[in-house]
Amino acid sequence: MVKFILKRIGTMIIAMFMIILITFTLMHSIPGGPFTNTKGVPEEVTQAMEAKYGLDQPMPVQFVKYLGNLLHGDFGPSYKYTGKTVNDFIATGAPVSAKLGLVTLVFVLLTSIPMGILAALKNGKWQDMLLMAIATIGVTIPSFVIASMLIYVFSFKLNVLPTFGLDSWKSYILPVIAMGGYSVSYLARLMRSSLLEVMGQDYIRTARAKGLTEFAVVTKHALRNALIPVITFIAVSMAEMVAGSIIIEQVFSIPGIGRLLLASISNRDFPVVQAIVVILAFWVVLAGTVADIVNQRIDP
């Protein structure tokens, strides 16, 4: 098990290095620079600004310097806000996005897994058909459409829930439902199909033949194996929630890193964009690594 964990950590390090390299190369391959579009600024001032931030150096030199700073947790200065560092923006936006993502994940798990289990146990009955119909609708509708519908109904028509910020517990309801809608629907369908497949195995029939109750058969024997593909999707879903938060934060005016990313792209503030992409990529890779380790533990 230790060898497997070390191997996955090594793979994660290589993946992160490649992501950092590709992101850095793409950011520096964009035509123009962060100061080229500044109106009314002489060319000499632009060159001085590029020299100040080391943008006049060869790209390999810039990358080595950037990678060294990154290893020390320094994402560099902001090109657009004098006296501000990228770490300042991340420290402000990341906790907001992390809290929103955590609440959404809890909502997804508490909703989708019971839905999938109930649908599997009531296979072919009206409960199964109703839950799967809801799940099918949730899978097909994009998150921004769900967000628009929720805002229209619960904010404009009923006027019971706020539409911007995260100032109270009510503020989380609409963003969480909009961001977690797809994951709830897909995970419920996956949980149902996985549990139905496991329930048809020989060892489940053997457990029933021994006189175990249906509750014991499901919880002690079927559910553990049925959760293996579910855990993998949860890791992917966590990454999708982070990516989906970019749209949701913009729709609901939430001051997280998703909204910061869009603003930084518009401002051509490349260090902020690079930092957010690296952070999101690290989250995706870490989630996948943890899922692999958990799956290995559940089913060696």
Side-chain angles (χ1 to χ4, degrees), residues 197-212 217 221:
E197 181 180 355
V198 171
M199 293 291 284
Q201 299 296 321
D202 291 339
Y203 70 91
I204 297 296
R205 288 192 288 269
T206 302
R208 286 171 174 160
K210 290 180 179 180
L212 295 179
V217 171
H221 296 276

Side-chain angles (χ1 to χ4, degrees), residues 23 66 70 75 86 90 270-280:
T23 303
Y66 175 75
L70 201 61
F75 289 102
V86 178
I90 299 299
F270 297 152
V272 179
V273 177
Q274 289 176 193
I276 295 176
V277 171
V278 169
I279 291 173
L280 295 182

Side-chain angles (χ1 to χ4, degrees), residues 210-253:
K210 290 180 179 180
L212 295 179
T213 63
E214 191 66 15
F215 179 81
V217 171
V218 173
T219 56
K220 294 184 179 181
H221 296 276
L223 194 57
R224 182 172 180 177
N225 287 328
L227 284 174
I228 293 176
V230 173
I231 291 173
T232 302
F233 177 76
I234 289 174
V236 177
S237 181
M238 291 167 63
E240 289 179 347
M241 288 176 198
V242 176
S245 68
I246 297 175
I247 299 175
I248 298 302
E249 287 177 7
Q250 187 71 12
V251 172
F252 291 96
S253 300

Side-chain angles (χ1 to χ4, degrees), residues 143-178:
S143 60
F144 66 89
V145 176
I146 296 177
S148 301
M149 295 170 57
L150 292 174
I151 291 174
Y152 177 76
V153 174
F154 292 99
S155 298
F156 292 162
K157 288 297 184 180
L158 301 179
N159 195 26
V160 293
L161 295 174
T163 61
F164 59 89
L166 295 175
D167 300 326
S168 64
W169 65 269
K170 289 184 178 180
S171 304
Y172 283 87
I173 296 178
L174 297 186
V176 165
I177 294 176

Side-chain angles (χ1 to χ4, degrees), residues 64-76 87:
V64 172
K65 184 178 179 180
Y66 175 75
L67 189 61
N69 293 334
L70 201 61
L71 293 175
H72 291 86
D74 181 11
F75 289 102
N87 294 55

Side-chain angles (χ1 to χ4, degrees), residues 12-190:
M12 184 176 68
I13 294 173
I14 295 174
M16 282 307 305
F17 174 79
M18 295 304 299
I19 290 170
I20 293 170
L21 176 61
I22 293 173
T23 303
F24 184 88
T25 303
L26 290 176
M27 285 293 99
H28 285 71
S29 299
I30 297 176
F35 309 110
T36 54
N37 291 336
T38 305
K39 296 181 180 180
V41 177
E43 182 66 23
E44 294 77 9
V45 176
T46 300
Q47 293 177 357
M49 293 295 293
E50 292 178 349
K52 175 183 177 181
Y53 292 108
L55 299 179
D56 58 339
Q57 298 177 352
M59 189 178 296
V61 176
Q62 295 184 47
F63 177 73
V64 172
K65 184 178 179 180
Y66 175 75
L67 189 61
N69 293 334
L70 201 61
L71 293 175
H72 291 86
D74 181 11
F75 289 102
S78 169
Y79 291 162
K80 293 297 181 180
Y81 299 93
T82 305
K84 286 281 189 178
T85 65
V86 178
N87 294 55
D88 295 332
F89 292 108
I90 299 299
T92 302
V96 177
S97 296
K99 188 176 181 180
L100 178 61
L102 180 61
V103 174
T104 304
L105 178 62
V106 173
F107 164 72
V108 169
L109 295 180
L110 293 180
T111 306
S112 60
I113 293 180
M115 281 178 60
I117 294 175
L118 179 60
L121 296 179
K122 300 294 183 180
N123 183 30
K125 299 182 179 180
W126 69 267
Q127 297 96 329
D128 178 28
M129 291 185 288
L130 176 62
L131 291 173
M132 288 303 99
I134 295 174
T136 301
I137 295 173
V139 169
T140 56
I141 302 179
S143 60
F144 66 89
V145 176
I146 296 177
S148 301
M149 295 170 57
L150 292 174
I151 291 174
Y152 177 76
V153 174
F154 292 99
S155 298
F156 292 162
K157 288 297 184 180
L158 301 179
N159 195 26
V160 293
L161 295 174
T163 61
F164 59 89
L166 295 175
D167 300 326
S168 64
W169 65 269
K170 289 184 178 180
S171 304
Y172 283 87
I173 296 178
L174 297 186
V176 165
I177 294 176
M179 194 161 67
Y182 174 85
S183 296
V184 168
S185 302
Y186 190 92
L187 192 57
R189 293 165 60 90
L190 181 62

